[in-house]
Amino acid sequence: MSAVTIQDVQVITTQPAGSRLVIVKIITSEPGLYGVGCATFTQRFHAVVTAIEKHLKPFLIGRDVSRIEETWQMAMVNSYWRNGPVLSNAISGADQALWDIKGKRAGMPVYELLGGKCREGAAVYGHAGGSAPEQVVESVRRFMEMGYHYIRVQMGGYGGDPSSLRKPDGAPDGAYYDPREYARNAVRMIEHVRNEIGDDVELLHDIHERIQPIDAVQMAKDVEQFKLFFLEDALAPEDIKWFENIRQQCATPQAMGELFNNPREWQPLISGRLIDFIRMHVSQMGGLTPARHVAAFANMYGVRTAWHGPGDTSPVGHAANLHLDLWAPNFGIQEWCRFPERVYEVFPGTPEVREGYMYANDNPGLGIDVNEELAAQYPCKDQVEHWTQTRWPDGSPARP
Ligand code: GCO
Ligand code: MG
């Protein structure tokens, strides 16, 4: 029987809500058989589209759709230089589409191909927030009323909303914040929420790499008494050696990974048991194929999954996260950003969340599709990101 091969590789870009989304659609030699995958790097989506159309597509055309692992391994090194966000997102789009195709051919959801369900639904966390501790409490209560048991609590934007900045004369424009004021206020907010809400809700917080490493050690110690489910991105990827210091000094569970591209970033944190949750952005890693490998590796060390699931993960990417979540023995928690109704129309089969759990629809493959006519009604709008032009109070550049 002749192999089913990749006949065409198409890219769909759409912005039905806040984020620019990139989807790869692989058309096969079998009439009507295609797959979709997420390749969303919202800040550099043109680069991903070009990488797919100009470099990955010629490499893929004619290849056997069944050879997912081989195709991924070869695609990752075909550019010689590897493990960067643009090319990994491009490869992810194709990789997830090939898993979608394999599931459709087998007549099974992807989680069956991974090894079957360990759970019927994936527990999710939502994003509570507000500009004052009392507002954060009200937001937490709204999530509790929707049945969420895991709730992230943030006050203001990442790094907090500064009350005063004491900038020097002539300081340039940018997204200013005060890291030390943020850390003090965040600890007070978490204490207030815990005191008001009690212990029967799991609270999470995202530092978003906004403070100096030593202040991250201090903040992890300060919040230890409030028993967070996890504290996220306490450090920037460039400072991950400091996780050893955090680990030696407190038991606040650590989550890290959304900014990671290279296996050498997550591997030592997992094998050293220096973090408790891996937070990688699955398309940033290169797709389902590497995520499956890393989930199994993390399982050997008691490290759980908490795949990145923001608004700049497409619903296709959320579906891929969900198949990993339903299978993984070391599933931890799934981030869920909640999409507006029109996104569900553009992406029929977008995972459903009920009472704090995300459920698969059990259709073969990833179980999701793209309404291309509707997607075309929401073209991606170019903009220069301002929120990532972060500055310390003195105006010097800071990591976002
Ligand atoms: C999260 C992340 C996001 C990122 C965003 C960057 O925990 O969901 O920190 O909020 O800031 O994905 O584009
Ligand atoms: Mg984060």
Side-chain angles (χ1 to χ4, degrees):
M1 190 168 112
S2 63
V4 175
T5 59
I6 296 172
Q7 197 159 60
D8 191 16
V9 179
Q10 299 169 357
V11 193
I12 301 158
T13 56
T14 185
Q15 188 175 3
S19 297
R20 294 166 293 274
L21 308 175
V22 183
I23 308 299
V24 169
K25 182 172 184 178
I26 288 188
I27 310 296
T28 75
S29 56
E30 182 173 313
L33 178 62
Y34 65 89
V36 292
C38 182
T40 298
F41 176 7
T42 196
Q43 293 86 352
R44 291 296 179 267
F45 76 101
H46 287 302
V48 177
V49 171
T50 300
I52 296 162
E53 291 182 339
K54 299 298 184 191
H55 300 293
L56 194 57
K57 177 175 176 178
F59 165 83
L60 290 172
I61 295 292
R63 287 183 182 270
D64 180 342
V65 299
S66 70
R67 311 284 289 255
I68 299 178
E69 188 72 41
E70 182 210 45
T71 299
W72 188 91
Q73 297 292 341
M74 194 69 81
M76 186 49 82
V77 298
N78 183 244
S79 52
Y80 187 58
W81 281 274
R82 47 195 177 262
N83 295 318
V86 172
L87 294 178
S88 290
N89 270 287
I91 292 167
S92 164
D95 179 73
Q96 292 183 9
L98 290 175
W99 279 100
D100 190 22
I101 290 163
K102 192 177 275 287
K104 287 174 175 175
R105 295 184 73 195
M108 293 181 190
V110 167
Y111 63 73
E112 293 292 6
L113 308 180
L114 296 172
K117 282 180 176 176
C118 279
R119 56 198 59 76
E120 289 309 309
V124 294
Y125 72 85
H127 293 177
S131 54
E134 299 71 23
Q135 285 183 9
V136 178
V137 168
E138 285 162 27
S139 180
V140 167
R141 292 199 198 284
R142 287 194 292 275
F143 275 96
M144 292 170 70
E145 285 153 18
M146 291 187 280
Y148 283 74
H149 181 59
Y150 299 84
I151 302 166
R152 188 186 81 171
V153 290
Q154 304 291 134
M155 188 162 69
Y158 293 126
D161 295 336
S163 57
S164 67
L165 278 163
R166 302 178 303 282
K167 295 182 194 175
D169 294 344
D173 177 39
Y176 282 79
Y177 72 101
D178 181 332
R180 304 263 297 176
E181 180 188 34
Y182 149 68
R184 288 193 300 274
N185 289 342
V187 172
R188 290 182 191 129
M189 176 272 292
I190 291 165
E191 177 177 22
H192 180 78
V193 174
R194 183 56 87 199
N195 291 338
E196 291 294 308
I197 295 293
D199 296 329
D200 189 30
V201 170
E202 297 293 355
L203 301 177
L204 306 84
H205 182 71
D206 189 350
I207 293 180
H208 212 270
E209 64 170 352
R210 288 299 180 99
I211 57 182
Q212 297 291 356
I214 191 59
D215 294 332
V217 177
Q218 184 61 61
M219 189 166 162
K221 290 168 70 175
D222 291 345
V223 298
E224 184 175 25
Q225 61 186 306
F226 308 123
K227 305 286 188 303
L228 292 179
F229 184 72
F230 69 52
L231 186 63
E232 175 184 352
D233 284 12
L235 300 166
E238 294 82 358
D239 296 327
I240 54 179
K241 197 76 174 132
W242 280 79
F243 274 114
E244 292 170 20
N245 306 89
I246 293 177
R247 209 45 147 201
Q248 288 154 6
Q249 299 196 40
C250 77
T252 299
Q254 299 298 312
M256 184 75 185
E258 68 182 55
L259 274 163
F260 286 172
N261 299 290
N262 191 310
R264 291 294 161 266
E265 294 175 300
W266 57 74
Q267 188 266 335
L269 296 183
I270 293 170
S271 58
R273 298 174 180 80
L274 295 171
I275 59 173
D276 304 275
F277 297 88
I278 50 175
R279 284 272 299 141
M280 280 77 92
H281 186 99
V282 167
S283 66
Q284 188 92 356
M285 300 172 72
L288 269 168
T289 295
R292 178 172 73 119
H293 287 309
V294 179
F297 174 66
N299 189 39
M300 305 297 288
Y301 294 90
V303 175
R304 288 167 281 172
T305 66
W307 306 115
H308 193 216
D312 48 310
T313 293
S314 73
V316 175
H318 281 279
N321 286 346
L322 176 59
H323 286 274
L324 287 163
D325 295 343
L326 295 177
W327 152 73
N330 55 324
F331 167 74
I333 191 69
Q334 178 57 57
E335 180 178 17
W336 172 241
C337 61
R338 301 192 302 156
F339 289 113
E341 194 47 44
R342 61 182 175 279
V343 175
Y344 289 80
E345 293 156 12
V346 176
F347 294 93
T350 295
E352 250 193 84
V353 170
R354 300 190 303 272
E355 294 293 314
Y357 278 95
M358 187 186 283
Y359 296 94
N361 56 32
D362 294 340
N363 292 336
L366 293 175
I368 192 167
D369 207 340
V370 187
N371 180 326
E372 295 181 56
E373 293 70 43
L374 218 43
Q377 291 179 24
Y378 304 103
C380 292
K381 295 184 278 304
D382 290 312
Q383 72 172 57
V384 175
E385 302 292 345
H386 184 264
W387 75 270
T388 54
Q389 298 183 47
T390 31
R391 293 186 184 275
W392 302 115
D394 71 354
S396 53
R399 296 179 184 124

